[in-house]
Amino acid sequence: AALAIRAGMSGAAAVRLAFACGLVLGSWGMYAWARRFLSPPAALLAAVVYTFLPWILATVYLRGALGEVWVYGLVPWALWGASRASARAAWIATVAAAALLLWSQAGLAICALVVISLMQLSVNRGRPVLVALSALAAGAVIGMIGLLPWLRQAATGANPDFDQHFLYLYQLLLPAW
């Protein structure tokens, strides 16, 4: 959003653009990752379903958590790159996605990187899993180095409304919600 503001956009328009870019990046990444395993129509359906998952929409429209939207936008790219990490471009994409994940929301990024690593360990064997894990580790190291200036700053207080925006399981089944 800061780049869009420097380009002359208003603050509100820049934030909306950042939300839209995160959502588009996530749906495009989910299509790219799902396309490796599914037919084009099925991969498109996977991308649409991923984009309109209730917790992603709640993150955008209810909580307005821009960092989390970018996590949802980058995780499919980390999955795509880790599943093809033997190719140089995919290795670089995995490193970039892992680093950007940490810069967008570090707590969710660590969870996502652990899950992606465990998935790679359970699916791949031999050299492909080592290449994927090396890309994820390199991205995590770059991401942590980029976070060092912020780790030295004093933390702000806790968000008092944080627990009011949890998504309960029954809400997924209510048509009115």
Side-chain angles (χ1 to χ4, degrees):
L3 294 175
I5 290 172
R6 288 186 186 188
M9 294 181 84
S10 69
V15 170
R16 284 194 300 262
L17 177 66
F19 273 114
C21 288
L23 288 173
V24 167
L25 190 68
S27 59
W28 181 28
M30 181 53 68
Y31 177 80
W33 180 62
R35 184 62 189 98
R36 297 207 57 216
F37 312 104
L38 304 172
S39 66
L44 181 62
L45 179 63
V48 168
V49 167
Y50 181 76
T51 303
F52 292 106
L53 285 171
W55 51 86
I56 293 177
L57 294 179
T59 300
V60 174
Y61 295 109
L62 185 66
R63 294 184 30 241
L66 186 57
E68 290 181 34
V69 171
W70 276 91
V71 167
Y72 293 132
L74 292 167
V75 163
W77 287 106
L79 284 167
W80 175 82
S83 65
R84 307 186 57 207
S86 56
R88 183 181 178 114
W91 191 88
I92 293 170
T94 307
V95 171
L100 290 172
L101 274 169
L102 282 162
W103 293 339
S104 61
Q105 215 286 348
L108 286 177
I110 291 169
C111 291
L113 292 175
V114 167
V115 169
I116 293 169
S117 299
L118 292 174
M119 188 176 117
Q120 290 301 310
L121 286 170
S122 67
V123 173
N124 292 331
R125 296 284 179 247
R127 186 177 185 278
V129 73
L130 294 177
V131 173
L133 292 177
S134 71
L136 291 169
V141 167
I142 292 170
M144 289 303 226
I145 290 171
L147 288 177
L148 286 178
W150 285 280
L151 292 175
R152 297 186 319 171
Q153 294 178 357
T156 60
N159 184 354
D161 294 332
F162 180 76
D163 62 341
Q164 295 187 12
H165 298 295
F166 284 132
L167 183 68
Y168 296 103
L169 184 60
Y170 75 90
Q171 290 175 315
L172 295 174
L173 305 174
L174 294 176
W177 187 81

